[in-house]
Amino acid sequence: MRGVVASLIFVIGTLIPIAFLWSADQWTVMLPAGDGQQETKELCGSCHNLQKIVQSRKTPQEWERSVNDMLARGAQIFPDEAEKITKYLSASFPPGK
Amino acid sequence: MRALVKDYLDLGLSRRGFIKAMAAAGFTLTAAESILKNLAPVAHAETAGKEYWKEFEGNGGELLAEQLLQAGNEYLFVGNGSGLGALCDAVIDRPKLKLVLSTHEAHVVAMASGYALASGKTAFCMYSRVGAAHSTGNIYNAMKDRIPLVIAVDRADTTEDGRDGHEDLEDMLEPMKQYTKWRWIPKEVGRVPEWTAKAFKVASTMPCGPTYMMFPRDVMFESKAKTKIFMPGTFDVPMNVRPNAKTVEKTAKMLVEAKSPMFNVGPEVYQSGGQKELIELVELLGIPTFERGQLCQVFPNQHPLYMGMMRGQVRYPQNVDFFMNIGARWAEADESFIAEKKVPTIVAGTDVRHLGDAIAIEHALVGNLKESLRDLVDAVKAVATKDRLQKIAQARFDETKKFTDRLRAGREANAKKMWDNKPIEWDRVGKEIEAIADKDAIFVEEFGSQRNKCMDHVNIGYGAKTQLGRTTGECLGWGLPAAIGVKLAKPDHQVWALQGDGGMLFNQTEALWPMRRHEAPIITVVFNNRSYNETRNRMWTRGKNQREKKLDMISHLGNPDVNFAKIAEAYDIKGEVVGDPKDLKPALQRAINATRDGKPYLLDVLVAQAGQGANMNWYPKVSIAEMRSKKA
């Protein structure tokens, strides 16, 4: 009986939260906290998943070019938001991190 | 009343029916009879003295040529092949028919497609049966784009066919089944006109598409018959069907009541000629309008209510409570948020393959879009006062303009920031072209995901410059020959062929041959980034190994570093490579000057790569020279 209870506690406490975590957008939850996180999640994530962001490591100049590239291709992002996103990505995903 | 008159003239309504309907609409009997009296000359002219047939005796080639004349053809798009001999013989005696020749069957189809797209006419093309396999890429494009094309090839003699014999397979029609609306082998010479007329009817009936015929050589050369040729107007089924009036009224009421409506529009609006009506409806209610801009740009892309391509979670408008898809394919839009939020959705058009696909709809407005949009405009005006409509439209217009102005300002600032970059940015090429091109220029483009960087800076859409392409099938190798067909249809318009280097290398350099042969003054601009930029980006985003190891397995095009200006020179077409941004404007002017003198011109513009893996020069080397054990 004690074994059954322990198993239940393990399932409820461990596996279920993990299942929830991975059923959500697994790339979105990998965005670290910071100023610009929300904009990145909502504005970048409205067109594509965030895999290409969280798996990239770029210099500030490279991030600026990527964000500008999205703007030029028709992303619905205003200039001030683009600047905020660029700063956030540069701080969160620099080379070597 | 306009609708009743139209129904009467289109013979769908009797005199009695017209009078009854006019009475129901509140008109007096005298008024109705007076209108009928005035319409009599027009109504009777439609049928009085109409010639349905003419007798003609000849071989298959002559019968085909006679029927092509009556179908309104002026240009026959052809490739070389001995099976075309009988048609060529017939054309010699019929100077109204002119042959437009290309060296490659795929280009024959693309030239005809461009002509049909720009002229609105059904185009005819013919080439050798062994070239049919070459041509399938652009037949597929024509099928996807619903282009009215009649395609003909020759076939083995009727005494030899079906044996997997010389230049023949047992079943040569089957491979074309997916790419065409209708296929036939006319084996009885006396019925060549009948089947040709049918091919034109099926191809030109909306939703349009290619039809395909294989003419046995003995039918074309030797067999003769005295038979009937169908005269103009006797085999047209235009399908300018109007939508159900109650459905129109219901849609109009929903539109007027909606607090946050949005439209997604597409190429069927252009193909039905309904752009003017669309803009009137959009402006009448101030509705934010999305469009992908593929195959053509319908809605003006600089209009304050133009929202660009619909994708993912739409940021604006918020709280959408009415969505209408007007002539766009579902595959062109991401409708996920519409489904998630259960937004009432209306679809309009004639293309049953797309109406109501992939999403649960409120109802469909089935009918010709020009007619449907006209009826909707009238119905909206009937359900709300002018003041109310103006109030609704103004508020939404102001709010939407504020949003789109901010976005445009961002894109402008972005372009300015990168203005002097080298390699040249796509944005700069777009802005320089916009500044120098004729106001009624036509752009035939075959871009991928970089398209908006250029075309967002060019004023295109109804009432502005025209953009045709990229095909919805996206099978590369269409743009240059299609531009030749467009120029043939619109010789007094400045025509630009805008191509990537990747697209150019899909057989398109040979299209410079018909461009020169037929003296088509077209400005070709090759956006040369020495890469399949789009595929590299997509592969690196979804895959892992290439991205992590920074290896560009199949997208680098820089080795050999193709000089497209030199290729043009081989075809006796002047061209130049533009590598420095400051050289772009004068080069564009030289290209324009050449075309004004009646000559084509090619610019090979070295543009920037973008996205994941950009600017890598690595590729997996496989050298056959290094495999040799001796200098053979």
Side-chain angles (χ1 to χ4, degrees), chain B residues 487 494-495 520-524 589-601:
Chain B
K487 185 70 183 174
Q494 187 181 69
V495 173
I522 292 168
I523 303 160
T524 300
Q589 189 59 61
R590 282 190 289 276
I592 289 173
N593 294 345
T595 52
R596 284 183 180 149
D597 290 340
K599 290 171 184 157
Y601 203 89

Side-chain angles (χ1 to χ4, degrees), chain B residues 63-81:
Chain B
L63 290 169
L64 174 62
E66 280 298 315
Q67 191 57 69
L68 290 175
L69 277 170
Q70 301 311 327
N73 288 277
E74 188 179 359
Y75 304 107
L76 311 182
F77 299 89
V78 295
N80 183 267

Side-chain angles (χ1 to χ4, degrees), chain B residues 116-388:
Chain B
L117 193 56
S119 68
K121 296 175 185 170
T122 304
F124 174 84
C125 53
M126 186 170 188
Y127 42 85
S128 164
R129 65 183 183 269
V130 289
H134 279 313
S135 66
T136 49
N138 277 327
I139 300 179
Y140 153 81
N141 279 333
M143 185 66 184
K144 291 280 286 181
D145 292 340
R146 313 296 192 250
I147 303 287
L149 282 190
V150 174
I151 300 164
V153 299
D154 70 318
R155 184 170 167 82
D157 286 1
T158 50
T159 51
E160 295 172 6
D161 63 348
R163 291 177 181 168
D164 193 12
H166 176 66
E167 296 183 357
D168 194 26
L169 287 169
E170 282 176 3
D171 185 353
M172 293 280 270
L173 284 187
E174 203 280 338
M176 294 296 173
K177 202 170 176 184
Q178 290 296 319
Y179 304 149
T180 52
K181 282 178 79 178
W182 178 80
R183 303 146 294 281
W184 200 254
I185 301 173
K187 289 192 175 182
E188 294 148 54
V189 67
R191 296 180 68 190
V192 164
E194 173 196 332
W195 285 314
T196 304
K198 176 163 180 166
F200 273 87
K201 183 195 73 175
V202 175
S204 62
T205 303
M206 285 188 82
C208 303
T211 56
Y212 186 78
M213 288 191 293
M214 298 191 80
F215 289 97
R217 290 188 180 201
D218 53 341
V219 169
M220 292 296 275
F221 279 103
E222 286 90 23
S223 306
K224 281 193 169 189
K226 186 174 184 179
T227 189
K228 287 172 178 165
I229 305 291
F230 288 70
M231 297 306 280
T234 62
F235 51 98
D236 301 342
V237 185
M239 295 288 281
N240 53 352
V241 179
R242 294 179 56 197
N244 180 287
K246 283 187 178 160
T247 315
V248 171
E249 197 183 328
K250 187 180 172 188
T251 310
K253 280 180 184 164
M254 289 175 77
L255 261 172
V256 170
E257 295 304 323
K259 298 281 177 262
S260 183
M262 63 176 265
F263 286 167
N264 185 48
V265 305
E268 197 182 329
V269 178
Y270 170 83
Q271 289 169 313
S272 65
Q275 301 101 303
K276 183 171 168 275
E277 289 77 7
L278 172 74
I279 291 163
E280 191 177 349
L281 180 64
V282 168
E283 290 180 344
L284 192 61
L285 286 158
I287 296 178
T289 299
F290 290 79
E291 184 184 358
R292 186 187 178 104
Q294 194 162 12
L295 187 61
C296 56
Q297 179 74 33
V298 173
F299 199 73
N301 72 338
Q302 307 301 316
H303 195 289
L305 294 172
Y306 178 62
M307 302 300 301
M309 177 180 165
M310 187 178 142
R311 54 184 132 195
Q313 297 293 319
V314 167
R315 184 179 186 184
Y316 180 91
Q318 287 284 301
N319 305 316
V320 176
D321 58 356
F322 177 97
F323 174 66
M324 188 161 171
N325 191 319
I326 307 171
R329 318 265 164 82
W330 278 119
E332 290 174 354
D334 184 340
E335 74 294 337
S336 55
F337 89 98
I338 300 287
E340 276 169 29
K341 296 182 180 171
K342 296 181 180 168
V343 178
T345 297
I346 316 297
V347 291
T350 58
D351 199 337
V352 289
R353 288 194 188 197
H354 287 281
L355 286 176
D357 262 8
I359 194 164
I361 58 169
E362 181 74 24
H363 62 252
L365 269 184
V366 182
N368 176 283
L369 280 176
K370 185 180 173 70
E371 301 293 336
S372 301
L373 290 164
R374 181 77 257 153
D375 285 356
L376 256 182
V377 168
D378 290 347
V380 165
K381 285 178 180 171
V383 297
T385 63
K386 200 177 172 183
D387 285 351
R388 187 181 168 199

Side-chain angles (χ1 to χ4, degrees), chain B residues 408-598:
Chain B
R408 284 200 180 94
R411 282 202 279 273
E412 287 298 315
N414 206 15
K416 203 173 170 187
K417 207 168 11 180
M418 301 188 294
W419 189 251
D420 293 320
N421 281 6
K422 195 178 170 183
I424 304 169
E425 299 290 348
W426 289 64
D427 310 62
R428 176 156 183 173
V429 187
K431 289 182 84 65
E432 298 269 27
I433 288 175
E434 168 61 16
I436 207 165
D438 285 356
K439 288 198 181 335
D440 61 353
I442 303 173
F443 300 95
V444 183
E445 64 101 334
E446 200 170 20
F447 292 147
S449 56
Q450 306 295 297
R451 178 237 180 214
N452 285 4
K453 288 184 182 178
C454 173
M455 299 313 289
D456 274 358
H457 297 288
V458 184
N459 186 8
I460 47 174
Y462 185 72
K465 301 178 182 77
T466 301
Q467 176 225 310
L468 301 172
R470 177 185 188 180
T471 62
T472 53
E474 300 192 346
C475 181
L476 286 169
W478 174 87
L480 254 67
I484 298 170
V486 170
K487 185 70 183 174
L488 188 64
K490 305 277 182 188
D492 291 333
H493 288 250
Q494 187 181 69
V495 173
W496 300 67
L498 307 180
Q499 266 295 331
D501 55 326
M504 217 35 203
L505 291 171
F506 273 91
N507 294 324
Q508 297 209 67
T509 55
E510 295 101 308
L512 296 168
W513 190 91
M515 195 182 280
R516 180 66 187 86
R517 165 73 160 245
H518 295 293
E519 300 175 352
I522 292 168
I523 303 160
T524 300
V525 182
V526 183
F527 288 61
N528 186 356
N529 59 10
R530 296 141 167 171
S531 176
Y532 292 117
N533 198 81
E534 182 172 344
T535 49
R536 189 194 64 248
N537 245 320
R538 290 188 196 283
M539 285 189 291
W540 282 42
T541 300
R542 293 190 75 165
K544 195 176 174 189
N545 225 6
Q546 286 189 84
R547 182 184 65 246
E548 285 187 354
K549 292 177 179 158
K550 298 200 181 303
L551 299 175
D552 183 354
M553 297 304 286
I554 54 172
S555 300
H556 178 60
L557 284 173
N559 189 3
D561 190 4
V562 180
N563 183 323
F564 293 99
K566 279 192 176 172
I567 293 178
E569 195 184 337
Y571 290 94
D572 192 24
I573 291 175
K574 275 194 179 173
E576 56 185 293
V577 177
V578 184
D580 196 307
K582 68 177 176 358
D583 295 336
L584 183 59
K585 191 178 173 183
L588 289 168
Q589 189 59 61
R590 282 190 289 276
I592 289 173
N593 294 345
T595 52
R596 284 183 180 149
D597 290 340

Side-chain angles (χ1 to χ4, degrees), chain A residues 55 68-69 73 76 81, chain B residues 311 315 414 453 547:
Chain A
Q55 292 190 341
N68 285 345
D69 190 51
R73 286 167 58 180
Q76 295 194 335
E81 295 164 336
Chain B
R311 54 184 132 195
R315 184 179 186 184
N414 206 15
K453 288 184 182 178
R547 182 184 65 246

